[in-house]
Amino acid sequence: MKNNLQFDFLVDKEKNAITIRREFLAKRQLVWDAYTKSEILDQWFAPQPLTTKTKSMDFREGGHWLYAMVEPEGKEYWGRLDYVKIQPLENYTALDGFCDENGNLNMQLPRANWSVTFQDFDQNSLVLSVITYQSLSDLETVIQMGLKEGLTSTLERLDDLLITLKK
């Protein structure tokens, strides 16, 4: 689904950070739920044609989300999001990293600090994500891995899902 919703993807190589501003055609509560409930995340959190499956999720400070993005042929790419701070309906911060199916981090791949803020935006919602890496090399690695293209596809899937969830 193509639309005219705000989508900014800004790379700051001096701060090893990416800032993403993304507008959604839904109220903040629904968008918050889409980001924080595994049963909804599993419906959108992967670029086409991959799907997502949650192994475990404990959305609380000190909790984590252990999930896999799965190719149609079955190959799995595991990730772990460790929740640091949560202010319901406002924001959360988390550490994101690649891992194995048991949640053991792959220290050969970059780990990122995510700060995700949810705001009302006219009749819609705006999600501001600031992703910070430890080094410029880590930042360039994820860009080369296709982070922008993957996020674009993933967020378009969320657009489509929000339409069905609003009904």
Side-chain angles (χ1 to χ4, degrees):
M1 176 180 141
K2 297 291 180 198
N3 53 47
N4 294 323
L5 298 175
Q6 180 178 353
F7 180 37
D8 300 320
F9 187 95
L10 309 168
V11 177
D12 183 340
K13 290 188 176 186
E14 290 182 10
K15 294 182 180 177
N16 305 324
I18 298 170
T19 300
I20 301 160
R21 284 184 195 87
R22 186 60 159 76
E23 180 183 358
F24 295 99
L25 290 171
K27 298 287 186 193
R28 182 173 15 163
Q29 177 70 61
L30 182 57
V31 176
W32 172 265
D33 289 349
Y35 272 75
T36 62
K37 295 183 176 181
S38 62
E39 63 272 17
I40 303 175
L41 281 160
D42 283 352
Q43 297 178 61
W44 70 272
F45 194 80
Q48 292 281 12
L50 282 70
T51 58
T52 303
K53 71 174 186 179
T54 294
K55 183 170 184 180
S56 62
M57 184 173 194
D58 182 11
F59 184 71
R60 64 173 176 83
E61 291 180 3
H64 72 274
W65 178 37
L66 178 59
Y67 65 95
M69 292 185 187
V70 185
E71 289 184 349
E73 303 79 32
K75 182 172 172 127
E76 298 174 339
Y77 303 92
W78 287 90
R80 179 184 173 119
L81 198 64
D82 291 293
Y83 298 105
V84 177
K85 186 167 176 59
I86 298 170
Q87 292 182 291
L89 293 176
E90 299 290 329
N91 62 58
Y92 67 82
T93 59
L95 294 172
D96 179 42
F98 299 92
C99 65
D100 65 18
E101 65 184 22
N102 296 312
N104 300 307
L105 290 170
N106 180 343
M107 302 313 284
Q108 304 303 310
L109 292 171
R111 192 158 196 220
N113 184 352
W114 282 69
S115 175
V116 185
T117 304
F118 300 78
Q119 303 169 332
D120 294 323
F121 190 70
D122 293 328
Q123 297 299 312
N124 300 329
S125 298
L126 185 70
V127 177
L128 173 66
S129 301
V130 179
I131 312 163
T132 308
Y133 293 91
Q134 289 188 355
S135 68
L136 178 58
S137 174
D138 286 352
L139 172 66
E140 290 177 338
T141 295
V142 297
I143 290 171
Q144 291 171 0
M145 290 172 71
L147 180 66
K148 182 177 182 181
E149 298 79 9
L151 272 175
T152 300
S153 174
T154 298
L155 296 175
E156 286 173 355
R157 290 180 86 174
L158 178 53
D159 285 333
D160 294 341
L161 179 61
L162 289 171
I163 290 170
T164 64
L165 293 176
K166 287 189 337 185
K167 293 180 179 176

